[in-house]
Amino acid sequence: EAQVTQNPRYLITVTGKKLTVTCSQNMNHEYMSWYRQDPGLGLRQIYYSMNVEVTDKGDVPEGYKVSRKEKRNFPLILESPSPNQTSLYFCASSSFSGGTQYFGPGTRLLVL
Amino acid sequence: DQQVKQNSPSLSVQEGRISILNCDYTNSMFDYFLWYKKYPAEGPTFLISISSIKDKNEDGRFTVFLNKSAKHLSLHIVPSQPGDSAVYFCAARAYGGATNKLIFGTGTLLAVQP
């Protein structure tokens, strides 16, 4: 089954404790992206990757890092989480940039 | 600056009636528009799309209309069913350059009453 998986689905952490949210897709897509969803703000892009070892900032990249060492995986790293990063996070992939994106199930993060 | 706007945060419709969800955009460079549907605890799923060279696209109960002069698109669901209750996001793509990213609206929560 074609899918995008994210882990963990739910996470509670404390300010400053580094965390990683994993994302994996099995569709051999080149383009992957991370979004955060906040009330009244919709989906905002954090980072994206056009292909392996090619990543770039989206609209709200501050406080986040990403890497793309393999085509299927695109982890999101919060080096020092802060409460304003409490949000619902989605990973997405598509066969090319601007194409129809397939989303993961989401990771709900609470930073205390 | 919100380039894609969904001004109605919520909409309630009776089962069997038409649901109309609206979306406005400001960037005339957008060339492709999509609608996504999102259930609670799930990621958004692609519903229907339309190219800027068309003014209508239909897929079963779902029809998207594009009015380029007004920079407005709408999603019509006929007839509405309780299973259509979800958050609907419109998205737009700006063509050109190496990165043709999608820009999403804020979403409209549709509730279809049985």
Side-chain angles (χ1 to χ4, degrees), chain B residues 13-80:
Chain B
V13 171
Q14 285 294 119
E15 181 178 4
R17 307 293 286 269
I18 184 172
S19 296
I20 300 176
L21 295 94
N22 294 304
C23 181
D24 296 297
Y25 62 95
T26 57
N27 190 340
S28 57
M29 295 301 291
F30 289 149
D31 71 327
Y32 190 65
F33 302 88
L34 307 90
W35 284 93
Y36 281 82
K37 174 173 160 180
K38 184 187 177 303
Y39 291 120
E42 294 183 13
T45 55
F46 170 73
L47 185 59
I48 191 169
S49 63
I50 187 167
S51 165
S52 61
I53 62 173
K54 294 187 173 183
D55 54 19
K56 176 182 174 181
N57 189 28
E58 198 169 348
D59 183 3
R61 297 185 297 113
F62 302 91
T63 303
V64 57
F65 295 93
L66 176 62
N67 181 335
K68 280 183 292 184
S69 60
K71 294 191 177 68
H72 176 85
L73 67 155
S74 60
L75 174 68
H76 293 211
I77 307 174
V78 183
S80 300

Side-chain angles (χ1 to χ4, degrees), chain A residues 10-11 23 30 35 43 47 52-53 65 71 78 81 83 92-93 95-97 101 105 108-109:
Chain A
Y10 303 92
L11 181 59
C23 172
E30 293 192 349
Y35 295 87
L43 290 159
Y47 266 95
V52 175
E53 303 291 1
K65 283 176 59 176
K71 197 171 189 178
L78 285 72
S93 73
S95 53
F96 59 94
S97 72
Q101 296 202 21
R108 188 167 289 282
L109 172 64

Side-chain angles (χ1 to χ4, degrees), chain A residues 9 35 37 40-43 45 48 50 59 90 96-98 100-101 103-105, chain B residues 2 32 34 36 38 41-44 46 89 93 98-102 104-106:
Chain A
R9 294 290 311 277
Y35 295 87
Q37 182 191 353
L41 296 175
L43 290 159
Q45 191 182 56
Y48 65 92
M50 302 283 283
D59 298 315
F90 291 101
F96 59 94
S97 72
T100 301
Q101 296 202 21
F103 283 82
Chain B
Q2 195 77 22
Y32 190 65
L34 307 90
Y36 281 82
K38 184 187 177 303
E42 294 183 13
F46 170 73
F89 291 99
R93 182 184 76 184
T99 58
N100 304 321
K101 72 175 186 180
L102 296 182
F104 287 83
T106 53

Side-chain angles (χ1 to χ4, degrees), chain A residues 6-8 10-11 20 22 24-28 48 51 58 61-62 64 66 69 71 77 80 89 102 105-107:
Chain A
Q6 294 178 229
N7 282 293
Y10 303 92
L11 181 59
T20 299
T22 65
S24 183
Q25 52 94 3
N26 63 1
M27 295 170 278
N28 201 36
Y48 65 92
N51 213 324
E62 294 77 22
Y64 304 95
V66 293
K69 293 185 170 57
K71 197 171 189 178
I77 303 155
S80 182
Y89 292 86
Y102 296 84
T107 295

